[in-house]
Amino acid sequence: MPSQPSPQLPDETISAWLRARRGHFDELVAGVEDYAIFMMSREGIILDWNRGAERLKGYTADEVIGRHFTLFYSDEDRASKFPDEELRIASAEGSFSIEGWRYRKDGSRFWASVTITAIRSEGGEVEGFLKITRDLTERKAAEEKLRRSEEHFRLLLENVVDYAIFMLDPEGHVMTWNSGARRIKQYEEEEIVGRHFSIFYPPEAITIGLPGALLGKALKEGRAEDEGWRVRKDGTRFWGNVVITALYDGSGELHGFTKITRDMSDRRQVEQLRETGRRKDAFLATLAHELRNPLAPMLPGVELILNAPGDIAAVSGVGEMLKRQVDQMARLIDDLLDMSRITAGKINLRRAVLPLRQVVDMAVEAVTPLVEERQHRLTLGLPDEAVMIEADPSRISQIISNLLSNAAKYTPPGGVIELSASCLSESVLEIKVRDNGIGIPKALQQSVFELFDQGASGSSEGLGIGLTLVRNLAEMHGGNVSVASEGEGKGCEFTVRLPVLAGSDATIASALVLEPSVLRKPGPARVLVADDGRSAADILAMFFQMEGMETVVAYDGAQAVEAASKFAPDFAFLDLGMPKLDGYEAARRIRRMYPRVFLAALSGWGAADDRRRSAEAGFDVHLLKPAKPDDLREVLRGHEAPSLSS
């Protein structure tokens, strides 16, 4: 309890004007109990005392009238002359208001709201003061409790590291920032407060207006929840679960939003692994089905040939069928190999400059049998002027043919497929493939590019990797691919954009030919075939015999070298994985015997490293199994014979 100043008698010099006004005190405020109201002389001497002052401060009127009002202040306040400063300010400005601790008679303190008003004479001179005090201890305690609660809540939020928790103003600008937000999003508080929260969203989400849509939903429904890719400060992405809640005050006025984000990348990765496993299982089942499809007619076809070798018409028909089925199997295997090479980063683009129409023709030619089989109508829309592209022609053709094949497979018989190309700028080519097929639900339009995905209803054929190849090959050329569909049964449109247009001074590249490029006139030649797969070796030898060549067959590398020493071949087609002596060593030994022999490697592996290794062994060309008849004929036509080995 602060020490009490000694009692003082009322100032005898109090003006009659002030004494006259004290007469109204009892009439006006003496009975007021909620407020301590009393008058003071201009020196601060207490002149009167109401019931509220007695209740609030604990003094009777007899105990306090005539004493200085510093009675209610602490020793520190009196030592600092703070009470005198209150009177000075009230005198100068007419009134003074403050909140602070004041003391009762028993030494206890209370939180007081104090107003001191100067009382002036008719001439404007300060004659005294009216002091009104209100006990706000309960309100102060409530405020302090709220402050502590808010501080505890702030500390709680600040130290939460698993969630990014922050507030947005009504327009979506960041107002607060916690440790979890700093950890997940990588921004320091001073870097992000005041910036719009759309900075956390990837470009594709901003393009469709997702940030604004989420705020709108939160305003309409009270909250909005979303999962998707979000962007950190360094540009990397994470999969976030986001909840945005609108904040209103008691009157219903919007104050902003709370936003809680959780990094769900680990869960997303687990889900993706599960989905990949599911797709892999579906892929393996599909692969088995796809490989059995061409085998099914081949086996009875072979049986027919064996039972009726003299029936030329039947044998010819079966031969055509076998060729189609082998081509189908080769396409499946090529797709698998391409996907494997892309995944391993082993595809190198072989760029050339050539007309766009030539590449389109290659693609259309590849899918024409499928389009005709399904009785579709294929229309082309190409620029009238000659357009040159600088790209890997086989890969661009593959992009187009895969999209056309996809359209043909997912369009019911008798449908319409449209292929168009246009120049968006001096360097960007846009290719569109549109169909009126089964369409794609909006929820699945991005997943169709994922490996092994075959859409909502799947497909009766294919491995589900065609569109993945399209996307990867487009990205390797610096481009992209997108899909648009109004939904199931409404067809779809794939758009590929590629920065491959060549300059106006570009010249058409020379036609690609198998190496080496030593031309020869067609003519008989001696061909050595070596493969530990006896059926494959015998069939290949039969093919060369039908082409008018003299052939000899070996079933391992050692036999191949021995046969070459006696046969003196012009051409040697060697499997690389033979026993006793592999194809690489057999090629080296045959090359030493016959420097001008043309060596062709036969292998199921065709990556850049595989081709490099066969070239180092002395092979002139690397052919993938099963070698296509046209490729074999090209080798025979493209190299001089006879007596290349002499």
Side-chain angles (χ1 to χ4, degrees):
M1 175 178 176
S3 58
Q4 299 181 4
S6 57
Q8 297 184 29
L9 293 175
D11 189 349
E12 297 297 335
T13 62
I14 295 175
S15 66
W17 182 88
L18 183 58
R19 283 196 296 272
R21 274 143 186 79
R22 288 177 59 197
H24 299 293
F25 181 81
D26 288 341
E27 300 175 19
L28 295 176
V29 298
V32 174
E33 295 187 357
D34 293 334
Y35 294 83
I37 305 174
F38 54 93
M39 295 179 65
M40 300 181 295
S41 70
R42 61 189 173 205
E43 291 81 15
I45 303 301
I46 299 169
L47 303 178
D48 43 37
W49 197 245
N50 80 329
R51 191 175 302 169
E54 183 175 337
R55 183 188 65 81
L56 180 60
K57 296 180 181 287
Y59 293 96
T60 64
D62 293 338
E63 292 176 311
V64 77
I65 291 176
R67 302 179 69 175
H68 199 271
F69 83 110
T70 53
L71 175 70
F72 314 123
Y73 291 77
S74 66
D75 293 338
E76 291 79 8
D77 287 340
R78 288 194 295 270
S80 66
K81 305 293 185 181
F82 181 68
D84 296 335
E85 182 65 12
E86 289 182 334
L87 298 184
R88 186 192 68 76
I89 295 174
S91 297
E93 300 181 6
S95 67
F96 173 79
S97 297
I98 194 173
E99 287 189 9
W101 293 111
R102 296 295 183 267
Y103 291 87
R104 299 184 179 92
K105 177 182 178 181
D106 62 6
S108 63
R109 67 178 187 173
F110 64 97
W111 188 261
S113 170
V114 177
T115 299
I116 300 176
T117 303
I119 302 175
R120 299 182 184 274
S121 66
E122 295 177 353
E125 296 295 325
V126 174
E127 297 289 344
F129 300 93
L130 176 68
K131 187 177 184 199
I132 302 174
T133 302
R134 185 182 180 187
D135 184 357
L136 296 180
T137 304
E138 290 185 2
R139 192 200 73 179
K140 177 67 173 177
E143 289 177 349
E144 181 63 20
K145 182 178 180 180
L146 178 62
R147 187 195 66 78
R148 287 196 300 269
S149 176
E150 289 176 343
E151 178 66 12
H152 292 160
F153 185 65
R154 185 191 67 79
L155 291 173
L156 173 66
L157 293 185
E158 171 61 26
N159 289 281
V160 170
V161 295
D162 292 332
Y163 294 83
I165 305 174
F166 52 96
M167 290 185 62
L168 307 174
D169 68 14
E171 288 74 38
H173 299 94
V174 178
M175 298 172 61
T176 63
W177 202 241
N178 80 324
S179 296
R182 187 181 303 112
R183 183 186 68 83
I184 294 173
K185 299 178 183 288
Q186 299 180 342
Y187 290 94
E188 295 297 327
E189 184 174 4
E190 60 271 16
E191 294 178 306
I192 199 64
V193 169
R195 301 181 70 175
H196 198 271
F197 84 110
S198 59
I199 193 173
F200 308 129
Y201 289 76
E204 61 269 22
I206 295 175
T207 299
I208 64 174
L210 180 60
L214 290 175
L215 292 187
K217 184 178 181 181
L219 284 174
K220 182 179 179 180
E221 302 178 9
R223 71 189 295 275
E225 185 170 358
D226 179 58
E227 278 198 14
W229 292 113
R230 299 296 182 266
V231 181
R232 300 184 182 92
K233 178 184 175 182
D234 63 4
T236 58
R237 297 188 179 198
F238 67 96
W239 188 262
N241 173 270
V242 176
V243 177
I244 298 177
T245 305
L247 298 177
Y248 298 92
D249 62 15
S251 64
E253 181 181 353
L254 178 69
H255 274 228
F257 304 87
T258 60
K259 187 169 184 287
I260 302 175
T261 302
R262 185 179 182 186
D263 186 351
M264 306 293 288
S265 299
D266 290 343
R267 191 194 74 179
R268 169 75 172 176
Q269 187 175 17
V270 170
E271 291 175 350
Q272 285 181 321
L273 288 173
R274 289 174 179 165
E275 178 64 13
T276 299
R278 184 193 66 77
R279 289 181 177 176
K280 181 195 68 176
D281 292 342
F283 161 73
L284 291 175
T286 303
L287 176 60
H289 174 267
E290 288 301 303
L291 291 177
R292 288 193 187 102
N293 275 345
L295 286 174
M298 291 172 72
L299 293 176
V302 171
E303 188 72 21
L304 190 152
I305 292 175
L306 293 175
N307 292 332
D311 189 339
I312 297 177
V315 170
S316 177
V318 171
E320 289 295 324
M321 177 273 294
L322 291 175
K323 182 178 184 300
R324 288 195 303 271
Q325 300 308 320
V326 170
D327 286 345
Q328 171 66 10
M329 294 183 71
R331 282 195 297 271
L332 293 173
I333 294 170
D334 285 344
D335 278 353
L336 284 172
L337 290 174
D338 277 345
M339 197 64 250
S340 174
R341 291 173 194 137
I342 288 176
T343 304
K346 293 184 177 180
I347 279 190
N348 295 316
L349 298 180
R350 301 177 64 186
R351 293 182 180 268
V353 178
L354 72 168
L356 168 64
R357 183 171 291 274
Q358 182 177 333
V359 176
V360 171
D361 288 344
M362 292 165 55
V364 171
E365 181 181 359
V367 299
T368 295
L370 177 61
V371 171
E372 292 178 347
E373 176 187 339
R374 300 191 180 236
Q375 301 177 333
H376 297 318
R377 180 164 59 90
L378 174 60
T379 64
L380 302 182
L382 302 179
D384 294 332
E385 68 278 7
V387 175
M388 306 299 295
I389 64 172
E390 185 176 1
D392 186 322
S394 64
R395 297 306 180 183
I396 301 298
S397 176
Q398 188 176 5
I399 289 173
I400 299 172
S401 63
N402 278 9
L403 291 178
L404 291 174
S405 176
N406 186 76
K409 286 189 295 183
Y410 288 94
T411 299
V416 177
I417 302 171
E418 301 173 10
L419 168 63
S420 63
S422 59
C423 303
L424 293 186
S425 66
E426 292 183 355
S427 64
V428 177
L429 172 69
E430 182 178 80
I431 301 169
K432 290 180 177 288
V433 174
R434 178 183 302 172
D435 65 63
N436 61 347
I438 65 173
I440 306 173
K442 292 187 180 295
L444 302 177
Q445 288 181 15
Q446 291 307 310
S447 67
V448 295
F449 296 105
E450 298 300 325
L451 190 59
F452 311 145
D453 186 276
Q454 292 183 306
S457 58
S459 171
S460 60
E461 58 181 275
L463 301 176
I465 62 179
L467 291 179
T468 309
L469 282 170
V470 168
R471 181 184 63 184
N472 289 336
L473 291 173
E475 290 175 351
M476 288 179 68
H477 280 86
N480 59 73
V481 61
S482 61
V483 63
S485 175
E486 294 300 318
E488 292 185 77
K490 297 184 178 180
C492 62
E493 180 180 80
F494 286 87
T495 301
V496 181
R497 292 182 177 178
L498 303 166
V500 297
L501 292 182
S504 58
D505 59 343
T507 58
I508 300 177
S510 300
L512 297 177
V513 296
L514 295 172
E515 296 180 354
S517 57
V518 180
L519 300 179
R520 78 163 191 91
K521 296 179 182 180
R526 294 187 297 275
V527 179
L528 166 64
V529 176
D531 195 324
D532 59 327
R534 288 179 174 267
S535 297
D538 292 341
I539 289 293
L540 194 56
M542 290 172 60
F543 168 79
F544 288 127
Q545 289 171 2
M546 292 174 62
E547 293 294 311
M549 307 297 165
E550 184 181 352
T551 63
V552 67
V553 181
Y555 302 115
D556 61 51
Q559 284 184 15
V561 174
E562 182 180 357
S565 66
K566 300 174 182 177
F567 184 60
D570 299 306
F571 297 92
F573 291 82
L574 308 178
D575 176 41
L576 295 180
M578 295 183 291
K580 297 186 180 178
L581 204 64
D582 63 27
Y584 301 106
E585 183 58 30
R588 294 187 186 96
R589 297 187 185 186
I590 293 172
R591 176 71 73 194
R592 284 197 292 268
M593 289 189 285
Y594 307 109
R596 298 188 62 192
V597 66
F598 186 87
L599 297 176
L602 297 173
S603 175
W605 303 97
D609 287 345
D610 302 313
R611 295 178 183 275
R612 176 189 54 76
R613 188 181 175 194
S614 64
E616 291 174 350
F619 284 100
D620 296 297
V621 68
H622 188 111
L623 300 177
L624 286 178
K625 289 184 176 182
K628 298 178 181 179
D630 287 344
D631 290 343
L632 298 173
R633 292 189 184 101
E634 183 68 24
V635 171
L636 298 176
R637 285 197 300 267
H639 302 280
E640 189 174 357
S643 300
L644 280 176
S645 56
S646 60

Coordinates of all heavy atoms in Angstrom, one line a residue, residues 350 513-517 544 570-576 583-584 587 591 597-603 605-606 610-625 627 631-636 638-639:
R350 N 17.9 -37.3 -83.9 CA 18.7 -37.2 -85.1 C 18.0 -36.2 -86.0 O 17.1 -36.5 -86.8 CB 18.8 -38.5 -85.8 CG 19.5 -39.6 -84.9 CD 19.5 -40.9 -85.6 NE 20.4 -40.9 -86.8 CZ 20.5 -41.9 -87.7 NH1 19.8 -43.0 -87.5 NH2 21.3 -41.8 -88.7
V513 N 19.7 -43.1 -95.3 CA 20.0 -44.5 -95.8 C 20.8 -45.2 -94.8 O 21.4 -44.7 -93.9 CB 20.8 -44.4 -97.1 CG1 20.0 -43.7 -98.2 CG2 22.1 -43.7 -97.0
L514 N 20.7 -46.5 -94.9 CA 21.5 -47.4 -94.0 C 23.0 -47.2 -94.3 O 23.4 -47.2 -95.5 CB 21.1 -48.8 -94.1 CG 19.7 -49.1 -93.7 CD1 19.3 -50.6 -94.1 CD2 19.5 -48.9 -92.2
E515 N 23.8 -47.2 -93.3 CA 25.2 -47.0 -93.5 C 25.9 -48.4 -93.7 O 25.4 -49.4 -93.2 CB 25.9 -46.3 -92.3 CG 25.3 -44.9 -92.1 CD 26.0 -44.2 -90.9 OE1 26.7 -44.9 -90.1 OE2 25.7 -43.1 -90.7
P516 N 27.0 -48.5 -94.5 CA 27.7 -47.4 -95.2 C 27.0 -47.1 -96.5 O 26.2 -47.9 -97.0 CB 29.1 -47.9 -95.4 CG 28.9 -49.3 -95.5 CD 27.8 -49.7 -94.6
S517 N 27.2 -45.9 -97.0 CA 26.4 -45.5 -98.2 C 27.2 -45.8 -99.5 O 27.2 -44.9 -100.4 CB 26.2 -44.0 -98.1 OG 27.4 -43.3 -97.9
F544 N 16.4 -65.0 -98.0 CA 17.5 -64.5 -99.0 C 17.5 -65.4 -100.2 O 17.8 -65.0 -101.3 CB 18.9 -64.6 -98.3 CG 19.0 -63.4 -97.3 CD1 19.4 -63.7 -95.9 CD2 18.8 -62.1 -97.6 CE1 19.6 -62.7 -95.0 CE2 19.0 -61.1 -96.7 CZ 19.4 -61.4 -95.4
D570 N 29.5 -62.3 -99.3 CA 29.4 -60.8 -99.6 C 28.7 -60.1 -98.4 O 29.0 -59.0 -98.1 CB 28.7 -60.6 -100.8 CG 29.3 -61.2 -102.0 OD1 30.5 -60.9 -102.2 OD2 28.7 -62.0 -102.8
F571 N 27.8 -60.8 -97.8 CA 27.0 -60.3 -96.7 C 27.0 -61.3 -95.6 O 26.9 -62.5 -95.8 CB 25.6 -60.0 -97.1 CG 25.4 -59.0 -98.1 CD1 25.3 -59.3 -99.5 CD2 25.3 -57.6 -97.8 CE1 25.2 -58.4 -100.5 CE2 25.1 -56.7 -98.8 CZ 25.1 -57.0 -100.1
A572 N 27.2 -60.9 -94.3 CA 27.0 -61.7 -93.2 C 26.1 -61.1 -92.2 O 26.3 -60.0 -91.7 CB 28.4 -62.0 -92.5
F573 N 25.0 -61.8 -91.9 CA 24.0 -61.3 -90.9 C 24.2 -62.2 -89.7 O 23.8 -63.4 -89.7 CB 22.6 -61.5 -91.5 CG 22.3 -60.6 -92.6 CD1 22.7 -60.9 -93.9 CD2 21.6 -59.4 -92.4 CE1 22.4 -60.0 -95.0 CE2 21.3 -58.6 -93.5 CZ 21.7 -58.8 -94.8
L574 N 24.7 -61.5 -88.6 CA 25.1 -62.3 -87.4 C 24.3 -61.9 -86.2 O 24.2 -60.7 -85.9 CB 26.6 -62.0 -87.2 CG 27.6 -62.3 -88.3 CD1 29.0 -61.9 -87.9 CD2 27.5 -63.7 -88.8
D575 N 23.8 -62.9 -85.5 CA 23.2 -62.6 -84.2 C 24.3 -62.3 -83.2 O 25.4 -62.9 -83.3 CB 22.4 -63.9 -83.7 CG 21.8 -63.7 -82.3 OD1 21.3 -62.6 -82.0 OD2 21.9 -64.6 -81.6
L576 N 24.0 -61.3 -82.3 CA 25.1 -60.9 -81.4 C 25.3 -61.8 -80.2 O 26.3 -61.9 -79.6 CB 24.8 -59.5 -80.9 CG 24.9 -58.4 -82.0 CD1 24.6 -57.0 -81.4 CD2 26.3 -58.4 -82.7
G583 N 28.6 -62.8 -81.5 CA 28.6 -62.1 -82.8 C 29.7 -61.0 -82.9 O 30.2 -60.8 -84.1
Y584 N 30.1 -60.4 -81.9 CA 31.1 -59.4 -81.9 C 32.4 -60.0 -82.4 O 33.1 -59.5 -83.3 CB 31.3 -58.7 -80.6 CG 30.0 -58.0 -80.1 CD1 29.3 -58.6 -79.0 CD2 29.6 -56.8 -80.6 CE1 28.1 -58.0 -78.5 CE2 28.4 -56.2 -80.1 CZ 27.7 -56.8 -79.1 OH 26.6 -56.2 -78.6
A587 N 32.4 -61.3 -85.9 CA 32.5 -60.3 -86.9 C 33.9 -59.8 -87.1 O 34.4 -59.6 -88.2 CB 31.6 -59.1 -86.4
R591 N 35.9 -60.1 -90.5 CA 36.4 -58.9 -91.1 C 37.9 -59.1 -91.5 O 38.4 -58.5 -92.5 CB 36.2 -57.7 -90.2 CG 36.7 -56.4 -90.7 CD 36.0 -55.9 -91.9 NE 34.7 -55.3 -91.5 CZ 33.7 -55.0 -92.4 NH1 33.9 -55.2 -93.7 NH2 32.6 -54.6 -91.9
V597 N 33.7 -57.4 -96.7 CA 32.4 -58.1 -96.5 C 31.5 -57.1 -95.8 O 32.0 -56.3 -94.9 CB 32.6 -59.3 -95.6 CG1 33.1 -59.0 -94.2 CG2 31.3 -60.1 -95.5
F598 N 30.2 -57.1 -96.1 CA 29.2 -56.2 -95.4 C 28.7 -57.0 -94.2 O 28.0 -58.1 -94.4 CB 28.1 -55.8 -96.3 CG 27.2 -54.8 -95.7 CD1 27.5 -53.5 -95.8 CD2 26.0 -55.2 -95.0 CE1 26.6 -52.5 -95.3 CE2 25.2 -54.3 -94.5 CZ 25.5 -52.9 -94.6
L599 N 28.9 -56.5 -93.0 CA 28.5 -57.1 -91.8 C 27.2 -56.5 -91.2 O 27.2 -55.2 -91.0 CB 29.6 -57.1 -90.7 CG 30.9 -57.8 -91.1 CD1 31.9 -57.6 -90.0 CD2 30.6 -59.3 -91.3
A600 N 26.2 -57.2 -91.0 CA 24.9 -56.7 -90.4 C 24.7 -57.4 -89.0 O 24.6 -58.6 -89.0 CB 23.8 -57.0 -91.3
A601 N 24.6 -56.6 -88.0 CA 24.3 -57.2 -86.7 C 22.8 -57.4 -86.5 O 22.0 -56.5 -86.9 CB 24.8 -56.2 -85.6
L602 N 22.4 -58.5 -85.9 CA 21.0 -58.8 -85.6 C 20.9 -58.8 -84.1 O 21.5 -59.6 -83.4 CB 20.6 -60.1 -86.2 CG 20.6 -60.2 -87.7 CD1 20.3 -61.6 -88.2 CD2 19.6 -59.2 -88.3
S603 N 20.0 -58.0 -83.5 CA 19.9 -57.9 -82.1 C 18.5 -57.4 -81.7 O 17.9 -56.7 -82.4 CB 20.9 -57.0 -81.5 OG 20.8 -56.9 -80.1
W605 N 18.4 -55.6 -79.0 CA 18.8 -54.4 -78.3 C 19.2 -53.4 -79.3 O 20.0 -53.7 -80.2 CB 19.9 -54.7 -77.3 CG 19.5 -55.7 -76.3 CD1 19.9 -57.0 -76.4 CD2 18.8 -55.6 -75.1 NE1 19.4 -57.7 -75.3 CE2 18.7 -56.8 -74.5 CE3 18.1 -54.5 -74.6 CZ2 18.0 -57.0 -73.3 CZ3 17.4 -54.7 -73.4 CH2 17.4 -55.9 -72.8
G606 N 18.7 -52.1 -79.2 CA 19.0 -51.1 -80.2 C 19.3 -49.8 -79.6 O 19.2 -48.8 -80.4
D610 N 24.3 -50.0 -77.5 CA 24.4 -51.2 -78.3 C 24.9 -51.0 -79.7 O 25.7 -51.8 -80.2 CB 23.0 -51.8 -78.3 CG 22.4 -52.1 -76.9 OD1 23.2 -52.6 -76.1 OD2 21.3 -51.7 -76.7
R611 N 24.4 -49.9 -80.4 CA 24.9 -49.7 -81.7 C 26.3 -49.3 -81.7 O 27.1 -49.6 -82.7 CB 24.0 -48.5 -82.3 CG 22.5 -48.9 -82.5 CD 21.7 -47.8 -83.0 NE 20.3 -48.2 -83.1 CZ 19.7 -48.9 -84.1 NH1 20.5 -49.2 -85.2 NH2 18.4 -49.2 -84.1
R612 N 26.8 -48.5 -80.7 CA 28.2 -48.1 -80.7 C 29.1 -49.4 -80.5 O 30.1 -49.5 -81.2 CB 28.4 -47.2 -79.5 CG 29.9 -46.8 -79.3 CD 30.0 -46.0 -78.0 NE 29.5 -46.8 -76.8 CZ 30.1 -47.8 -76.3 NH1 31.3 -48.2 -76.7 NH2 29.5 -48.4 -75.2
R613 N 28.6 -50.3 -79.7 CA 29.5 -51.5 -79.5 C 29.5 -52.3 -80.7 O 30.6 -52.9 -81.1 CB 28.9 -52.3 -78.3 CG 29.7 -53.5 -77.9 CD 29.1 -54.3 -76.8 NE 29.9 -55.4 -76.4 CZ 29.5 -56.4 -75.7 NH1 28.2 -56.4 -75.2 NH2 30.2 -57.5 -75.4
S614 N 28.4 -52.5 -81.5 CA 28.5 -53.3 -82.7 C 29.3 -52.6 -83.7 O 30.0 -53.3 -84.5 CB 27.0 -53.5 -83.2 OG 26.4 -52.3 -83.6
A615 N 29.3 -51.3 -83.8 CA 30.1 -50.5 -84.8 C 31.6 -50.7 -84.5 O 32.4 -50.9 -85.4 CB 29.7 -49.1 -84.8
E616 N 31.9 -50.7 -83.2 CA 33.3 -50.9 -82.8 C 33.8 -52.3 -83.1 O 35.0 -52.5 -83.4 CB 33.5 -50.7 -81.3 CG 33.3 -49.2 -80.9 CD 33.3 -49.0 -79.4 OE1 33.3 -50.0 -78.6 OE2 33.4 -47.9 -78.9
A617 N 32.9 -53.3 -83.2 CA 33.3 -54.6 -83.5 C 33.4 -54.8 -85.0 O 33.8 -55.9 -85.5 CB 32.2 -55.6 -83.0
G618 N 33.0 -53.8 -85.8 CA 33.2 -53.9 -87.3 C 31.9 -54.0 -88.1 O 32.0 -54.1 -89.3
F619 N 30.8 -54.0 -87.4 CA 29.5 -54.1 -88.1 C 29.2 -52.9 -88.9 O 29.5 -51.7 -88.5 CB 28.4 -54.4 -87.2 CG 28.3 -55.9 -86.7 CD1 28.8 -56.2 -85.4 CD2 27.8 -56.9 -87.5 CE1 28.8 -57.5 -85.0 CE2 27.8 -58.2 -87.1 CZ 28.2 -58.5 -85.8
D620 N 28.7 -53.0 -90.1 CA 28.3 -51.9 -90.9 C 26.9 -51.4 -90.6 O 26.6 -50.2 -90.9 CB 28.4 -52.3 -92.4 CG 29.8 -52.7 -92.8 OD1 30.6 -51.8 -92.8 OD2 30.0 -53.8 -93.2
V621 N 26.0 -52.2 -90.1 CA 24.7 -51.8 -89.8 C 24.2 -52.6 -88.6 O 24.6 -53.7 -88.4 CB 23.8 -51.9 -91.0 CG1 23.5 -53.4 -91.4 CG2 22.4 -51.2 -90.8
H622 N 23.3 -52.0 -87.9 CA 22.7 -52.7 -86.7 C 21.2 -52.8 -86.9 O 20.5 -51.8 -87.0 CB 23.0 -51.8 -85.4 CG 22.6 -52.5 -84.1 ND1 23.6 -52.9 -83.2 CD2 21.4 -52.8 -83.6 CE1 22.9 -53.5 -82.2 NE2 21.6 -53.4 -82.4
L623 N 20.7 -54.0 -87.1 CA 19.3 -54.2 -87.4 C 18.6 -54.8 -86.2 O 19.1 -55.7 -85.5 CB 19.1 -55.2 -88.6 CG 19.7 -54.7 -89.9 CD1 19.5 -55.8 -91.0 CD2 19.0 -53.4 -90.4
L624 N 17.4 -54.3 -85.9 CA 16.6 -54.8 -84.7 C 15.8 -56.1 -85.1 O 15.3 -56.1 -86.2 CB 15.7 -53.8 -84.2 CG 16.3 -52.6 -83.4 CD1 15.2 -51.6 -83.0 CD2 17.0 -53.2 -82.2
K625 N 15.8 -57.1 -84.3 CA 15.0 -58.2 -84.5 C 13.5 -57.9 -84.1 O 13.3 -57.2 -83.2 CB 15.4 -59.4 -83.6 CG 16.7 -60.0 -84.0 CD 17.0 -61.2 -83.1 CE 18.2 -62.0 -83.5 NZ 18.4 -63.1 -82.6
A627 N 14.0 -58.5 -88.1 CA 14.4 -57.6 -89.2 C 13.3 -57.6 -90.2 O 12.8 -58.6 -90.6 CB 15.7 -58.0 -89.8
D631 N 13.8 -53.8 -94.9 CA 15.1 -53.4 -94.4 C 16.2 -54.3 -95.0 O 17.3 -53.9 -95.4 CB 15.2 -53.4 -92.9 CG 14.4 -52.2 -92.3 OD1 14.0 -51.3 -93.0 OD2 14.1 -52.3 -91.1
L632 N 15.9 -55.6 -95.0 CA 16.9 -56.6 -95.5 C 17.1 -56.3 -97.0 O 18.3 -56.3 -97.5 CB 16.4 -58.0 -95.3 CG 16.2 -58.4 -93.8 CD1 15.6 -59.8 -93.7 CD2 17.6 -58.4 -93.1
R633 N 16.0 -56.0 -97.7 CA 16.2 -55.8 -99.2 C 17.0 -54.5 -99.4 O 17.8 -54.4 -100.3 CB 14.8 -55.6 -99.8 CG 14.0 -56.9 -99.9 CD 12.8 -56.8 -100.7 NE 12.0 -58.0 -100.7 CZ 10.9 -58.2 -99.9 NH1 10.5 -57.2 -99.1 NH2 10.2 -59.3 -100.0
E634 N 16.8 -53.5 -98.5 CA 17.5 -52.2 -98.6 C 19.0 -52.5 -98.5 O 19.9 -51.9 -99.2 CB 17.0 -51.2 -97.6 CG 17.7 -49.9 -97.7 CD 17.3 -49.1 -99.0 OE1 16.2 -49.4 -99.5 OE2 18.1 -48.2 -99.4
V635 N 19.4 -53.4 -97.5 CA 20.8 -53.7 -97.3 C 21.3 -54.3 -98.6 O 22.4 -54.0 -99.1 CB 21.0 -54.6 -96.1 CG1 22.4 -55.1 -96.1 CG2 20.6 -53.9 -94.8
L636 N 20.6 -55.3 -99.2 CA 21.1 -56.0 -100.4 C 21.2 -55.0 -101.6 O 22.1 -55.1 -102.3 CB 20.1 -57.1 -100.7 CG 20.0 -58.2 -99.6 CD1 19.0 -59.3 -100.1 CD2 21.4 -58.9 -99.4
G638 N 21.6 -51.8 -101.4 CA 22.4 -50.6 -101.2 C 23.9 -50.8 -101.2 O 24.7 -49.9 -101.0
H639 N 24.3 -52.1 -101.4 CA 25.8 -52.4 -101.3 C 26.2 -53.3 -102.4 O 25.6 -54.3 -102.8 CB 26.1 -53.0 -100.0 CG 25.7 -52.0 -98.9 ND1 26.4 -51.0 -98.5 CD2 24.5 -52.0 -98.1 CE1 25.8 -50.3 -97.5 NE2 24.6 -50.9 -97.3

